[in-house]
Structure formats: structure tokens, C-alpha cells
Amino acid sequence: MKFRKMYQVHNVYAVCAFAAVGGGLFGFDIASMSGVLGTQAYTNYFHVEGHYRQGFINCAMPAASLVGTLGSSFIADRMSRKTAIQVAAVLWTIGSIFQSTSNGVPLLVVGRVVAGLGVGVASAMVPVYQAEIAPKDIRGRVVSLQQWAITWGILIQFFIQYGASFTDGGADNPNQGSAAFRIPWGVQILPAVILFVGMFFMPYSPRWLASRDRWEEAIRVLANLHGGGDITSARVLAQYQEINEALRFERENAESSFRILTGDRILKRVVLGASVQVWSQLTGMNVMMYYIVYVMQAAGIGNPLLTASIQYILNVALTLPAILFLDYWGRRPSLLLGSLSMMTLLFIIGALEALYGSPNPYKNPQLNAISWIVEGHPSVSKGIVACSYLVVCTFAVTWGPTSWTYVSEIYPSEIRAKAVSLATASNWAANCVLAFGTPPLLSHINWKIYMIFAAFNGLAFIHMFFTMPETKGKTLEEMDDVFERGLPPWMAGPKGSRLDFLESEIKEGNIKVTGPVRRR
């Protein structure tokens, strides 16, 4: 076997950015329907009539992703985080082939289920892999690349769909051919193939290697990633020592991983992680992503596909500040300010629709999918669109990247994969409910749906304020200290990191750390 001599990428940014292509699959998933919903090709070929039928098609993928997420930890713990990501790429490829060649709703749903399994595995394990690769000072930045990749996936897929919508006479042609949806669903195979092949050139997670007692490989990966290849570097030895002590402590207090998850010490973190993921769905962002075409049609926008594309561009652009500054301004302020801002904006959208909207008289066949419209008030329509854009911008800067970062870093090494998979499963469970329930809700309660999501943001603010401690600047091995220091979450703990102290002590010769002896 020559795999160990294969060229390996050792730049932390490059490794984490490439792994984030798995997040891009999540983005392709979110946008896989939004662009084709407005085409005659999709409507005529699949004969989608009624909100529940479309909701069923939409929720097939998140439902499967829920299952894939729950199973991801077993692959990641036994075969490595890296291999789990490759498995996700294979599943996505197979599912995309089924979707792009589907001859009816049954095969389309099967394809979305298989692809959803892959997205579930990737969405759980990419942040774990990134968090275990990254140093504490930039962990928020590189894990946020997952969310940025999601936004790029949404944007790219939407524009592919937008371009394909012009095939065979355009989206309004009643005889439009199936290329309008087959092209986008076929093109999304490409990033999965690139991800599968490229992961062979990425290193294993050093913390996973350590958990499998492959210490020589673990310290070598740490050295390549954080010490310029020097295994005697004080920074590398300090990280090695921290990981070693943390694993020793966990093993001395050994219990089954599922018993640990439900124990008093860890349960509150499991609940917190799951809550962060659920609240990220209940912010209302995915309503904008899945059904933005309906939202724009209801606001009376002339070209809803093109206008909707602006929000995808904003989503990509506004995630960048979070990538650059999340490790500076922290996780806690991001979520609290994001909840307050989105709550306010959603209340405004709901109020505008309630005051100036009216039931759809169904005079325009292109608006048959919606039941509430705003007509004759162009300034109000622009206000609704502007607030919708601001919701997207706020989420992109706050909840989007922070929810993935926070969940990936708060658990001990031995149960990290399982705990993150449970948290991400909560995300997909909420995603599934929203994907299925939003079309009938938009139809039956109209503007009130914005009030509901605004209330959810208010509840998220209260919950996070009283339960979420700050984690920036701490190593993964210090999270027990963060959560067990006995201070309320809104009070800052000691500044600095134990790793910095240990590194300085090693440099000064006060502490001697010897790496594993290399076997010959």
C-alpha cells in the first residue's frame, strides 16, 4: 500500500476550505428546488399540484439527511472523518444521477433520498473535521468556511437553474422541455466527484488518529499543520500534551459513549448544541431559501427568479465578515444580535403583508401557487423585498456560520462525532418539518407565518442568553473548563488559553514533553 506516501496538503486554510466543498453539497440541496419551481418544465413533467405534494418532494431530502446524519458518527469514528466525507460524496453522486434521469415523482424522490443521506453525513462531519484540524485562534474562521460553501452552493445552483430555465422557449413556455431541471441536477455531480478524489490528498484528523492510538501519525500531522513539519516545536508538543491528557481523562472515566451523552456532565451541552441547530432553522432563513420565488411573487415582483438571485449573492457576500471576524467578536454576541435583528425584520414583513396584502383572486395563472398577494403598492412591495434581503444578510453574518462553529467545538473528543451528529440531526428534523409544512402554511395563514418566525427568534434570544457560554480563543480540550467553571453564561470566564501557558512553559524548559517514540 502506497497511500501513506501520497502527497498531502498541510495548509490549514487549504484543507478546511477544500473539506467545505461538502458544505457546498448542502447548498446545492437547499437550492435544488427553488429555481425550478417557477418553470413550466417542472410543473408539466412532474404534474405537481397542491402544496402537500411539493412539500413531500422537498422534505424527502432533509428527511434522508436526518438519517444520514445519525449514521455519520459510526462511519467517522470507525473509518475516520475524512472517509466519512468521501462516503457522503459517493452518496450525493448516486442521488444526483437518479434525480437528473428521473422519469416521474417516485424516482425523483428516491434520488433526493439517496443524495440526502450524503448531505446528512457531510453536514455533520465536515465541521468536526475542520474543528479538529484547526488551531484555536482561527477555528471560528475555518469552520465558518462550511457556511460560506453552503452559500456558494446555493448561489451556483440557483444561477445554473436560472440559466437552464431559458431552454426550450423559457420558463413561461407551456411546452418547455425537461432540460430546464435535468441540467442543474446533473451538473451538481461535479463538486461531489472533486470532493471524493481530493480528500485522498488531505490529512486525517490528528484527534481522530490519537483516539485510535496512532500517536506517531497524530503528532506528525500536528507538526505538518501547525509546526512547519517540526515535531519538536513547542506549539506542537503543547497540543500533543493537551490531546493526550484529555483522552487519558476520558478513558479513565470510561463509559459507553451513549451513556456519556445522557450523563449530567454532558447532557446540557448535547441539548444546547441541538437547540442551536434547531433555532438556526427556526430563524425563518430557510423559508427564504426554499420558497423565495413564492415570496417574491406574493410581493408582486416582475421577475421573481432574477430578484431572488440577489439574496443569494448577498448571502455569499455577507458570510465573509463572519469568516474574518468571528474569532474576534465571539460566538455569543453573534447569535444574540442576530436573533434580535431578524425578529424585528420579520415582524415588519408580516405587518406590511397584513396591512397591504389581500387574498389572491387567481386571475394570473403564474400566481396559482400562492394565496396572498400585495398589489398596487409598489413601495410596500419594495419594502418587503428589502426586509427579506436584510433577514438574509443578518443570518449570513450571525447564525449561519456561528451555528456550525459552536456545535463543532463544545464536545469532548471521544463523543464529538456522535454529539455533533445528534445536533445536526436536530437541524435536519427541523428542516424537514419546515420543507413540508411551509407551503401549506404560506397558503393558509399567509402573512402570519412571518410573525411565527419572528417569535421564534425572540425565544432563541432568550434561550441563548441564559444557556450559551462564550468559547472563542479556547482549545477543544478546554471546553470542559468553559462549561464547568460555575459561572453564568453571560459572565466572561478567565481570559487566555491553557495551551498558551503550556507552550510557554515548554519553551522555557519548565515542562518536558516527549512525543511518541517512532517505531522502526
Side-chain angles (χ1 to χ4, degrees):
M1 294 287 289
K2 299 291 186 182
F3 270 8
R4 291 188 183 181
K5 294 183 179 179
M6 183 180 289
Y7 171 77
Q8 296 273 289
V9 178
H10 296 127
N11 180 280
V12 172
Y13 285 105
V15 173
C16 293
F18 186 82
V21 173
L25 303 184
F26 192 171
F28 272 90
D29 160 31
I30 292 173
S32 62
M33 278 293 172
S34 58
V36 300
L37 286 177
T39 65
Q40 290 294 322
Y42 178 81
T43 303
N44 294 336
Y45 193 89
F46 293 105
H47 305 291
V48 178
E49 297 177 358
H51 300 293
Y52 289 103
R53 187 179 179 89
Q54 183 57 52
F56 173 75
I57 294 172
N58 279 354
C59 81
M61 187 172 284
S65 297
L66 169 61
V67 176
T69 297
L70 290 173
S72 63
S73 64
F74 298 97
I75 303 171
D77 284 340
R78 288 164 176 75
M79 301 174 66
S80 80
R81 283 59 163 139
K82 172 177 157 176
T83 302
I85 294 171
Q86 290 180 300
V87 169
V90 171
L91 289 170
W92 175 266
T93 300
I94 295 171
S96 296
I97 291 172
F98 285 157
Q99 289 177 77
S100 60
T101 59
S102 59
N103 58 358
V105 171
L107 187 56
L108 172 62
V109 170
V110 169
R112 288 180 64 77
V113 166
V114 176
L117 291 171
V119 172
V121 174
S123 63
M125 289 306 115
V126 168
V128 170
Y129 179 74
Q130 291 169 320
E132 293 184 346
I133 288 285
K136 63 179 179 61
D137 301 320
I138 61 168
R139 188 173 61 244
R141 180 176 300 174
V142 297
V143 178
S144 294
L145 293 173
Q146 157 90 345
Q147 177 63 21
W148 205 33
I150 292 173
T151 66
W152 273 109
I154 295 170
L155 178 67
I156 293 169
Q157 174 66 298
F158 187 86
F159 273 115
I160 291 172
Q161 291 177 349
Y162 180 68
S165 71
F166 290 100
T167 60
D168 299 325
D172 297 331
N173 179 13
N175 298 315
Q176 186 182 33
S178 62
F181 57 82
R182 295 195 193 279
I183 291 173
W185 294 343
V187 170
Q188 66 187 13
I189 295 171
L190 182 60
V193 173
I194 293 172
L195 178 65
F196 175 79
V197 175
M199 286 305 296
F200 283 114
F201 302 96
M202 304 297 142
Y204 288 101
S205 159
R207 288 173 171 85
W208 177 80
L209 289 169
S211 72
R212 311 303 289 182
D213 290 322
R214 292 162 62 174
W215 287 102
E216 295 173 30
E217 294 173 75
I219 197 169
R220 174 56 61 190
V221 171
L222 284 171
N224 288 333
L225 290 171
H226 309 307
D230 180 10
I231 62 173
T232 64
S233 161
R235 171 55 60 108
V236 171
L237 291 174
Q239 287 183 297
Y240 165 80
Q241 180 73 359
E242 267 216 326
I243 294 170
N244 198 350
E245 288 178 358
L247 281 174
R248 187 184 304 121
F249 173 79
E250 291 169 21
R251 289 170 177 177
E252 286 173 355
N253 297 272
E255 295 180 274
S256 72
S257 56
F258 286 104
R259 185 182 294 273
I260 296 173
L261 289 170
T262 57
D264 292 338
R265 190 171 72 91
I266 300 298
L267 181 60
K268 67 178 182 180
R269 275 186 259 180
V270 173
V271 173
L272 177 59
S275 299
V276 168
Q277 289 288 306
V278 170
W279 287 129
S280 74
Q281 290 295 315
L282 296 181
T283 58
M285 176 63 168
N286 270 11
V287 175
M288 301 296 178
M289 288 299 152
Y290 277 118
Y291 301 108
I292 188 62
V293 173
Y294 292 164
V295 174
M296 295 303 178
Q297 286 176 336
I301 298 303
N303 188 331
L305 279 176
L306 184 59
T307 309
S309 68
I310 297 174
Q311 79 156 0
Y312 297 121
I313 296 172
L314 291 172
N315 196 20
V316 171
L318 270 295
T319 302
L320 194 55
I323 293 173
L324 297 176
F325 300 113
L326 183 58
D327 288 306
Y328 173 74
W329 62 47
R331 285 61 158 155
R332 183 178 164 86
S334 294
L335 297 192
L336 295 179
L337 290 174
S339 295
L340 276 180
S341 300
M342 286 187 285
M343 177 185 70
T344 303
L345 291 165
L346 288 165
F347 273 135
I348 292 172
I349 295 173
L352 290 174
E353 293 234 358
L355 291 172
Y356 296 97
S358 60
N360 185 1
Y362 296 103
K363 295 179 181 178
N364 184 348
Q366 294 184 7
L367 300 181
N368 284 346
I370 56 178
S371 63
W372 191 265
I373 58 175
V374 176
E375 283 187 316
H377 302 283
S379 59
V380 173
S381 294
K382 291 175 183 176
I384 291 171
V385 172
C387 287
S388 299
Y389 288 160
L390 288 173
V391 170
V392 171
C393 292
T394 304
F395 183 89
V397 177
T398 59
W399 274 87
T402 308
S403 60
W404 294 110
T405 299
Y406 195 75
V407 167
S408 70
E409 64 190 5
I410 62 176
Y411 305 111
S413 179
E414 288 286 280
I415 61 162
R416 185 172 297 121
K418 288 185 175 64
V420 173
S421 72
L422 287 174
T424 311
S426 303
N427 178 303
W428 283 111
N431 192 319
C432 182
V433 172
L434 290 176
F436 183 76
T438 296
L441 281 175
L442 280 171
S443 175
H444 291 102
I445 67 173
N446 308 309
W447 57 268
K448 300 181 187 73
I449 193 171
Y450 299 104
M451 301 303 191
I452 292 173
F453 284 112
F456 282 147
N457 277 284
L459 292 173
F461 174 86
I462 295 170
H463 187 194
M464 294 299 102
F465 182 85
F466 286 105
T467 62
M468 178 190 180
E470 183 57 70
T471 56
K472 73 169 183 176
K474 303 294 183 181
T475 66
L476 298 180
E477 287 69 38
E478 291 179 279
M479 291 302 155
D480 286 348
D481 298 338
V482 170
F483 281 88
E484 297 171 18
R485 64 193 178 197
L487 294 174
W490 57 87
M491 293 184 64
K495 292 184 178 181
S497 169
R498 188 173 61 222
L499 180 68
D500 296 330
F501 173 77
L502 182 58
E503 181 182 357
S504 66
E505 290 293 287
I506 293 173
K507 282 181 179 178
E508 294 172 8
N510 298 328
I511 295 177
K512 300 292 184 184
V513 176
T514 304
V517 178
R518 184 170 183 174
R519 299 183 182 90
R520 297 185 180 275

